[in-house]
Amino acid sequence: MTFSTATAYARPTLTGRTRLITLGLVTAVVIGSFLGRYDADVIGFRVRVEQVVPLALALWMLAHPALRGPFVRALRHPVPLVYGVFVAWNVVTTAVFSPSLTWSASILIWLAIDLLLLVSLMAIAEGADLAARLGRLSVAPWALVGFAAYAVANLSRGQVALGTDFDYLYEVYVARVTAIEANIYASILIFWALLAVTRRGIGRWETAAIAVSVPLGLVASQTRTAVFSLVLGLGVFALYTVFSRRSPWRERLARIVPAAALVAALVVVYGVIAALGGTEPADRTLAPSASDSATPAPTREPDPTNPEQQNKIGDVDFQGGTIAFRWEVAGLATQEMTGVNLWLGNGTNTFGLRHEQPGTPGVSGHIIMLPVQVLYDGGIVGLGLLAALFVTVFVCAPRERRPVAAGLLVSYLVSATLTSMFWFAITWILIAVILRPVTEDERDLPRI
């Protein structure tokens, strides 16, 4: 075994019943990662479906003698070790600086569940392979369902708005399907699309399906961040492939054709929409982008057919909207990033204890941007551990898959900087998938 898989991705001999239960729970974990919208209050904490199912998988593995050994060995893999240190540091800085341990515990528990999820999927190779297949198969349906929800909601003026939220800033219904918000819907779509379209051996029909459906899904989400993130990630993948492989140029160029087809489709679709968009949206105010934060009350009746109040995709404005909102949040966060707190942090999830959400009086603040969030919570030490985690993921990825890993990590960092998604199950499923041992098809690739 190589360094990256020596303590993970075992292939234990399992009985038919044990294998069925294990793979069933893995399937439930992947499906649960799409269901961020659904939760319930349990002893004062908001408990999500995507948190409960991974916990069940981890408990099953710890309880079963044939799975316990692989689970414990996976804990010693470099990536879970680094992430475990990151979680431990959050516990330390929270204990020292947090004004409310209960408030901080909601995220600390989530971080711990994420660690269990990552280790569970890294414990057996078959589980990670299954997660990869399920994610790949989700791309076109996830995109098309989102586009259908978006089209129906806007054409019916909200009379049928299942799977959408109304964006009062731009007067348009945006798709989120079963995700917590449109940005998370789009992020899940682009990550699985990136992994699918960069897979060696992808056929023409699958490439065409992705190139058609993904732009439609991103239009439905009305997210500019997702488009930039996906294009940048695919660009990094292409450059890494072209300039790092020891194979004929024709083979290297052929390797990136599916990714290029998706980029071309995105450029055409979004170029047309941006060019045809209306004027700047009326009555613009600062507002949080996460749907689990309070949304300002509407100042007028929704009119999603009025082009003068739309053009979110083509609108890039640093003076208002979500970009200015993030700048204002970052400015508030810097007020506590001084002295010892700059180095050690202020405690996990404590920004909302000290600041209200800009533009929404009485609502606890939320930073949203991952680097700023981690710097605020865990200081320079915490941010350094986060950087170490991403470096470790890249180093431990199989060499045949590093072009894909590079593109995915860049895409993820861009998305996480502008959306609050680090804690969601999709993150740890992606890491387990990208680190898994190479398949037979991938072994035919030249080493890099």
Side-chain angles (χ1 to χ4, degrees), residues 193-212:
L194 192 151
L195 286 179
V197 82
T198 57
R199 192 182 82 261
R200 185 172 187 250
I202 182 174
R204 294 180 180 178
W205 286 109
E206 186 176 356
T207 300
I210 291 174
V212 170

Side-chain angles (χ1 to χ4, degrees), residues 100-191:
S100 172
L101 296 180
T102 301
W103 187 278
S104 296
S106 61
I107 297 298
L108 291 176
I109 294 172
W110 202 347
L111 292 174
I113 292 174
D114 290 336
L115 177 59
L116 293 175
L117 169 58
L118 176 61
V119 174
S120 297
L121 291 179
M122 293 179 67
I124 58 172
E126 192 174 8
D129 290 339
L130 176 60
R133 289 196 300 274
L134 292 172
R136 174 171 62 88
L137 293 173
S138 73
V139 174
W142 185 244
L144 294 176
V145 169
F147 183 76
Y150 161 82
V152 169
N154 285 286
L155 290 174
S156 69
R157 297 194 180 193
Q159 295 301 308
V160 181
L162 293 175
T164 64
D165 287 320
F166 189 73
D167 188 329
Y168 285 101
L169 191 63
Y170 288 89
E171 295 286 357
V172 63
Y173 287 92
V174 296
R176 46 93 178 154
V177 192
T178 56
I180 191 173
E181 60 165 287
N183 277 324
I184 302 299
Y185 160 78
S187 295
I188 294 173
L189 175 61
I190 67 170
F191 295 145

Side-chain angles (χ1 to χ4, degrees), residues 324-347:
F325 166 75
R326 287 177 172 85
W327 278 113
E328 186 170 350
V329 169
L332 292 174
T334 59
Q335 295 177 12
E336 287 83 42
M337 292 183 193
T338 57
V340 67
N341 296 109
L342 175 61
W343 288 93
L344 306 182
N346 296 278

Side-chain angles (χ1 to χ4, degrees), residues 59-104:
L59 292 175
W60 163 252
M61 287 193 158
L62 286 170
H64 199 288
L67 298 170
R68 188 183 307 123
F71 183 93
V72 173
R73 286 193 295 274
L75 278 169
R76 301 199 296 268
H77 186 280
V79 172
L81 282 177
V82 173
Y83 180 57
V85 173
F86 175 81
V87 175
W89 176 250
N90 274 268
V91 173
V92 171
T93 189
T94 294
V96 175
F97 297 109
S98 176
S100 172
L101 296 180
T102 301
W103 187 278
S104 296

